[in-house]
Structures are given as structure tokens and as C-alpha cells.
Amino acid sequence: DADVTQTPRNRITKTGKRIMLECSQTKGHDRMYWYRQDPGLGLRLIYYSFDVKDINKGEISDGYSVSRQAQAKFSLSLESAIPNQTALYFCATGRGSGRDEQFFGPGTRLTVL
Amino acid sequence: KQEVTQIPAALSVPEGENLVLNCSFTDSAIYNLQWFRQDPGKGLTSLLLIQSSQREQTSGRLNASLDKSSGRSTLYIAASQPGDSATYLCAVLNTGGFKTIFGAGTRLFVKA
């Protein structure tokens, strides 16, 4: 089984709809991250959480919100989706000490029409 | 503000060739640098992580170096194979704020 899972893997929605992307991990890591990837722009950090009670904004948090329901679960919400939020979204985890290597989920491809 | 640049953006080589991918960053105050591989439509797979105190890391045919003072890292791939075809991303973790900044990637194609 994958260590970091994301649901759904693909989603097509309409402008103005509320969307939630979910991430679960079995790695036991404290740190979790949400990134979006756009062609030619690399990955950009949306939000990150160092533990259940710690939520921080990344580079591009406007239009997004997150919830850290448990150590293993971190969800990303788009309250009112817009077309320029069409992108590939990745969740990642990190141990938070020592090497602090990040491990990524398979991604969610979101299309907003 | 940290900026990460990867050159070239795309590279095509014949099978068996040794190659070097480049990554540069503007702020040397980093905690570590990580190289990833991404296959089309897939997630990122961690290849190598170099701590700021280290100069290089090796894994199989891959060798990554880090020169923090000049803001550069290289990923060396020996004896390239068609299965190495993918996009390679480098990412730096800043010491201030612990935010990871990614480069846009180098798209590698190894021809059989």
C-alpha cells in the first residue's frame, strides 16, 4: 500500500463549486504539505502543517483553506473554485527532524470549467 | 526571496551517455537540497537529499553534489538508460520558515 494517498485522483468541477481534496499518510510523519503544480512553474507551496495544531500559509494560499484532522490526515478545500485553480495538486509528508526528506502522494488532477 | 533555477529545461541524449543536470539557488541559507524524479502524470519520487553540511550524495548511478557558497547543485547520471526518461526537479528547504522552494525541472529524454 502507498504511504501517502490522495483522493480523488481526478476531478472535474464547475466554477463556484466547493471542492475538497484529501490526503492520508501511514508514514507517521508530523509534517504535511499541499502543493500545486502548473506547467513550466514547478511546484508551489499552498499550506503546510507541522503538527495537528499548527497550520501555516505557503506562497499561494489565497482561495484555499486546509484542515488537519489528525496526524495522518490533511485536507485542502477550494471554497469557490475558479478556472485558474486548474492544476495538479500534491500532498507531501516530512519527518520534521534530521534529514527532513519529503515524500509525495500520487497527485490529484483538478479541472475547473 | 529564494529562487531556484534549473538548466537546461529539456535535454535529449542517446542511451549510455553520462549527463549532468544543473540546479542553482539564490539564497545560500538552506537546510537541505532534494532531487526528485517525476514521471508524466505521476507524483514525485525522492532520489537524493543533501544536507547543507554535506558536499555530495550517491545512490546507484546517481550522484548529487552541493556547493552552498556558490548556490549550485548538480545531479550526475551515469550510463543513462531509456528508463531514466522523466522530469527531474530540485528543491531547497530554507532555514528561515522551513519552506521548500522548487525549480521548474529538467525534462530528460534518453533515446534507445
Side-chain angles (χ1 to χ4, degrees):
Chain A
D1 288 341
D3 295 319
V4 184
T5 58
Q6 293 183 233
T7 55
R9 294 295 313 279
N10 289 283
R11 182 73 184 268
I12 299 174
T13 190
K14 295 181 178 179
T15 296
K17 293 291 188 181
R18 184 178 187 274
I19 296 296
M20 179 180 287
L21 309 182
E22 298 185 345
C23 177
S24 296
Q25 54 116 345
T26 59
K27 299 189 76 69
H29 290 166
D30 287 326
R31 296 185 178 186
M32 297 188 73
Y33 307 82
W34 275 105
Y35 294 91
R36 68 176 276 175
Q37 185 177 35
D38 299 277
L41 292 180
L43 276 77
R44 292 180 291 168
L45 183 63
I46 306 172
Y47 271 95
Y48 60 105
S49 170
F50 284 177
D51 64 41
V52 175
K53 296 180 181 179
D54 177 79
I55 303 288
N56 303 281
K57 293 182 177 181
E59 286 180 83
I60 52 165
S61 58
D62 288 348
Y64 302 95
S65 62
V66 291
S67 174
R68 184 81 183 266
Q69 300 95 324
Q71 186 205 38
K73 295 184 181 298
F74 192 36
S75 60
L76 176 72
S77 294
L78 288 67
E79 297 300 327
S80 180
I82 56 177
N84 76 2
Q85 291 178 313
T86 293
L88 194 53
Y89 290 84
F90 288 104
C91 173
T93 73
R95 188 176 291 109
S97 62
R99 288 161 49 83
D100 203 41
E101 188 173 3
Q102 291 192 30
F103 300 88
F104 281 74
T108 294
R109 184 169 297 281
L110 177 66
T111 303
V112 183
L113 302 176
Chain B
K1 179 185 174 184
Q2 179 75 272
E3 293 182 3
V4 180
T5 304
Q6 291 187 246
I7 295 173
L11 181 63
S12 180
V13 301
E15 182 178 7
E17 192 163 298
N18 301 325
L19 59 99
V20 174
L21 306 181
N22 297 293
C23 173
S24 61
F25 48 94
T26 55
D27 185 351
S28 62
I30 66 170
Y31 187 64
N32 64 38
L33 184 145
Q34 198 167 354
W35 281 94
F36 295 89
R37 169 188 172 134
Q38 184 178 24
D39 293 286
K42 301 287 181 63
L44 280 68
T45 300
S46 179
L47 297 174
L48 290 164
L49 181 145
I50 311 176
Q51 296 285 74
S52 62
S53 58
Q54 297 175 323
R55 297 285 292 184
E56 66 178 334
Q57 283 287 316
T58 298
S59 176
R61 294 183 293 108
L62 305 180
N63 175 276
S65 68
L66 174 65
D67 184 342
K68 204 171 64 165
S69 61
S70 67
R72 294 181 182 178
S73 176
T74 61
L75 179 66
Y76 174 82
I77 302 177
S80 59
Q81 302 170 358
D84 294 330
S85 298
T87 296
Y88 291 82
L89 297 156
C90 74
V92 299
L93 179 62
N94 283 353
T95 54
F98 282 87
K99 295 180 182 179
T100 301
I101 308 298
F102 280 80
T106 293
R107 192 166 63 253
L108 173 65
F109 180 62
V110 181
K111 297 172 287 187

